[in-house]
Amino acid sequence: MAAADSPSTALRRRDLCSRGIRLAGKMRADVVDLLDTYVEQQGLDASATVAAMEGVPLAAVERWDEQTGTQRLLENLAAYRAFRTLLAQMLEEQREQLGEADAGLGRALAAVLLQVSAFTYHLEELLGLESRGIPGEEGDGPPPPPRLSLFEQKLRGLGVLRELAQWAVRSARDLRQLAKPSPATGTAPGLAESP
Amino acid sequence: DSHTQYERVGADVTMKCGSMDWDAAVTWTVNGTDIDESHLNGSYLILKNVGLSQSGQYSCYEGSSWHLKYQTYLRVGTPPKEPVLMCRSNNYPKGFYCSWHLPTPTYIPNTFNISVIHGTKDMVCEKDAVPKNRCHIRYLQLFSTVKYKVTLTVTNALGKNYTALTFDEFAIVKPDPPESVVAKPVPNNPRRLEVSWQNPSSWPDPESFPLKFFLRYRPLILDQWQHVELSDGTSHTITDAYAGKEYIIQVAAKDNDIGTWSDWSVAVHATPWTEEPKHLTTEAQITETTSASTSSFMAPPTTKICDKGAMVGSGAVAVCWTAGLVVAAYSVLFI
């Protein structure tokens, strides 16, 4: 249970949320563009259904509106940490597959990876405003995947980017929920309770 | 016995008079009117190439006793064509609705059956009481990449047809148009119009799911619209309106992040503020006409016909000097 926020904490939270929302919006736009490029360069069918793959955080959530602020931050943090690792893997695979042949795709992937890292930082800062603290990263993130075929790698990459695009929308919504002032205590709704 | 019989338009229909023999003497009626014997083959009624107008109650009576031997309600119609199906979320993130209709009527009763699958999960689309051809679904999950598949089957006595839609959660989000659009002139500002509106009442949570808006406006006399996109707020001041011209204004809404634009709102009309013209006398009107420019816009607001300070003379004979000039000019005309 946390006491009511100090004005500076509330201000810092609001500032982090609004910057995070803008970053999530930019990230989503860039991921959507990257998806188009990726599908084309990898010779995939844009309408292909990709089954949920191990280690790729799914944005889909039930009872989203009932989540506490803490839940939102923790789920977001776990997801973006996983995306950071997955995108780094994709970048590595990209370099192995195509070398310098497609620097454009590599640059776009790297740019999105940077934004994911920046967003992760925002989430860690927001969690830091709570008395809970930030969960450690040891054991976090997806286990190293079994060696996938080239085609499986491409499909996985498609799945990663699609889920990331969904997450970017979800995160903006989550941060808007967090930024709402709570009428009674002055804290953001849900942050005062632990799940 | 009495029952209903459905036949296709253009079909040939043969009706037997219940268990009566072919050579029995019978009389057939349709909606109480005798049918000419030329349509009979023995006791069978033959209707060739039936049309919609031949729908009705057909009765067969035994010749002499006039006992009713058979009765049927013939309904002529067509099997259903492929139905038109539309799904939309105007209340995101609560859920979405699907509505449907047939492109052409069948003239006989139809049954619609809708199924919704999300991945492998069956979902229930609850039918609305009004309108009848609509059902709604509550989202159980949000932010899913798994697509929804909606299949609509229409069946009637003469056949069946179906259509299906596949879409993802974000693609069908389309708010209702903004409500309560109001446009007002701004006092002392001949080129401004203040426009305000409200979020559509069907949008459940504009704070967490904010809408952005698109405003379009034009003077009635022109065809080309001006457009403004607004990322927040529910008001806007137009600052480049043509003075004195009536404007038509509309607003549309879209979720900030996903989906498509709403339809345009109901149009509102407004004219920017103009200064009240002073009350004009006949002489003053002539002065105005002869001295005014040929501009089609309103006269400059500072024009005055008769200042108190321009009065000449006193008491009952006091006239202002401009009026005096006009009278003099008029007098010259009549010399």
Side-chain angles (χ1 to χ4, degrees):
Chain A
M1 197 197 77
D5 281 338
S6 69
S8 61
T9 306
L11 206 59
R12 174 94 178 117
R13 179 181 294 113
R14 215 167 45 236
D15 179 52
L16 282 166
C17 283
S18 66
R19 284 197 274 141
I21 289 166
R22 281 198 296 278
L23 181 53
K26 168 91 174 80
M27 194 162 47
R28 187 196 176 213
D30 287 357
V31 170
V32 166
D33 287 344
L34 174 54
L35 257 168
D36 289 340
T37 309
Y38 189 85
V39 158
E40 194 189 315
Q41 305 272 0
Q42 304 288 36
L44 295 169
D45 177 2
S47 61
T49 305
V50 179
M53 287 178 158
E54 195 189 334
V56 180
L58 296 180
V61 58
E62 296 187 6
R63 297 197 176 91
W64 172 86
D65 51 332
E66 294 172 20
Q67 287 198 324
T68 64
T70 307
Q71 271 174 313
R72 294 179 196 281
L73 285 173
L74 289 172
E75 287 188 21
N76 271 266
L77 185 60
Y80 285 91
R81 280 175 171 172
F83 279 122
R84 206 167 46 185
T85 308
L86 288 163
L87 285 169
Q89 281 170 5
M90 281 174 69
L91 207 47
E92 196 49 48
E93 286 161 5
Q94 175 71 16
R95 287 184 188 133
E96 280 174 16
Q97 284 166 32
L98 296 166
E100 290 308 307
D102 190 12
L105 184 57
R107 272 199 302 273
L109 268 169
V112 167
L113 175 53
L114 201 60
Q115 289 175 65
V116 166
S117 299
F119 196 72
T120 307
Y121 165 78
H122 269 80
L123 295 167
E124 287 168 348
E125 288 290 294
L126 276 163
L127 265 169
L129 292 179
E130 290 184 68
S131 52
R132 273 189 74 114
I134 306 163
E137 283 201 66
E138 309 90 40
D140 256 14
R147 189 73 192 159
L148 297 173
S149 71
L150 182 60
F151 184 63
E152 285 168 327
Q153 281 178 10
K154 290 180 181 184
L155 277 189
R156 189 157 195 258
L158 183 61
V160 166
L161 293 176
R162 278 188 182 159
E163 286 301 329
L164 180 54
Q166 300 293 101
W167 264 105
V169 176
R170 175 177 163 181
S171 301
R173 315 289 197 190
D174 281 325
L175 292 180
R176 282 196 197 102
Q177 290 290 96
L178 274 162
K180 276 187 192 175
S182 168
T185 62
T187 57
L191 280 176
E193 316 100 63
S194 312
Chain B
D1 55 14
S2 173
H3 71 300
T4 305
Q5 183 174 344
Y6 295 96
E7 300 288 345
R8 283 187 193 221
V9 169
D12 294 340
V13 180
T14 300
M15 287 188 198
K16 291 185 184 177
C17 188
S19 54
M20 299 289 282
D21 291 333
W22 176 81
D23 56 359
V26 299
T27 304
W28 282 92
T29 66
V30 58
N31 299 330
T33 305
D34 285 8
I35 298 176
D36 187 75
E37 281 181 7
S38 61
H39 293 281
L40 268 54
N41 176 356
S43 65
Y44 297 175
L45 175 64
I46 313 291
L47 301 171
K48 287 201 176 291
N49 188 22
V50 291
L52 295 170
S53 59
Q54 285 167 287
S55 295
Q57 187 170 69
Y58 289 79
S59 310
C60 177
Y61 299 90
E62 190 177 14
S64 48
S65 65
W66 274 93
H67 282 146
L68 178 65
K69 288 298 183 181
Y70 178 73
Q71 195 169 63
T72 187
Y73 200 93
L74 175 68
R75 297 197 66 170
V76 180
T78 60
K81 291 211 159 88
E82 183 180 330
V84 177
L85 174 65
M86 179 273 282
C87 295
R88 182 180 153 220
S89 175
N90 65 339
N91 61 343
Y92 190 81
K94 278 199 174 155
F96 65 92
Y97 72 86
C98 294
S99 69
W100 55 87
H101 66 272
L102 286 171
T104 52
T106 60
Y107 304 99
I108 60 176
N110 305 296
T111 310
F112 293 91
N113 207 299
I114 192 159
S115 80
V116 182
I117 301 173
H118 184 215
T120 54
K121 198 171 175 187
D122 273 316
M123 299 182 77
V124 174
C125 197
E126 292 177 34
K127 294 228 171 146
D128 291 346
V130 166
K132 283 191 315 188
N133 59 336
R134 192 155 134 164
C135 67
H136 62 271
I137 287 216
R138 275 189 335 108
Y139 279 127
L140 298 177
Q141 263 189 355
L142 289 181
F143 313 112
S144 173
T145 49
V146 175
K147 289 187 191 284
Y148 292 82
K149 184 174 179 183
V150 180
T151 308
L152 175 73
T153 308
V154 54
T155 309
N156 69 19
L158 300 175
K160 66 198 288 185
N161 215 321
Y162 81 99
T163 189
L165 273 185
T166 303
F167 53 83
D168 63 52
E169 180 187 314
F170 292 171
I172 59 165
V173 175
K174 177 180 172 180
D176 286 329
E179 294 174 6
S180 308
V181 182
V182 171
K184 292 190 296 197
V186 178
N188 302 305
N189 277 282
R191 302 203 66 191
R192 291 187 175 217
L193 285 169
E194 218 164 62
V195 189
S196 65
W197 58 90
Q198 285 174 12
N199 289 311
S201 49
S202 51
W203 195 253
D205 188 1
E207 222 181 309
S208 306
F209 296 81
L211 294 172
K212 58 183 176 182
F213 301 97
F214 215 81
L215 192 106
R216 70 175 185 179
Y217 58 96
R218 63 172 173 87
L220 284 184
I221 54 172
L222 295 178
D223 287 331
Q224 194 153 17
W225 294 94
Q226 299 278 89
H227 293 101
V228 182
E229 185 167 334
L230 303 153
S231 57
D232 56 21
T234 53
S235 63
H236 176 71
T237 302
I238 296 166
T239 55
D240 61 349
Y242 289 118
K245 296 303 171 193
E246 186 179 352
Y247 271 75
I248 179 168
I249 299 147
Q250 289 178 293
V251 193
K254 181 185 168 302
D255 177 88
N256 218 46
D257 302 312
I258 62 176
T260 57
W261 287 98
S262 71
D263 292 339
W264 290 106
S265 68
V266 167
V268 295
H269 293 240
T271 307
W273 174 91
T274 50
E275 186 174 1
E276 279 283 316
K278 290 268 200 275
H279 175 67
L280 299 171
T281 61
T282 310
E283 298 89 341
Q285 274 175 328
I286 293 166
T287 308
E288 267 292 285
T289 315
T290 52
S291 64
S293 71
T294 52
S295 163
S296 59
F297 296 144
M298 291 295 289
T302 52
T303 303
K304 284 183 185 178
I305 307 306
C306 214
D307 264 341
K308 274 192 181 164
M311 300 301 279
V312 176
S314 61
V317 203
V319 293
C320 72
W321 66 269
T322 48
L325 267 178
V326 169
V327 170
Y330 236 71
S331 315
V332 166
L333 280 175
F334 288 105
I335 291 171

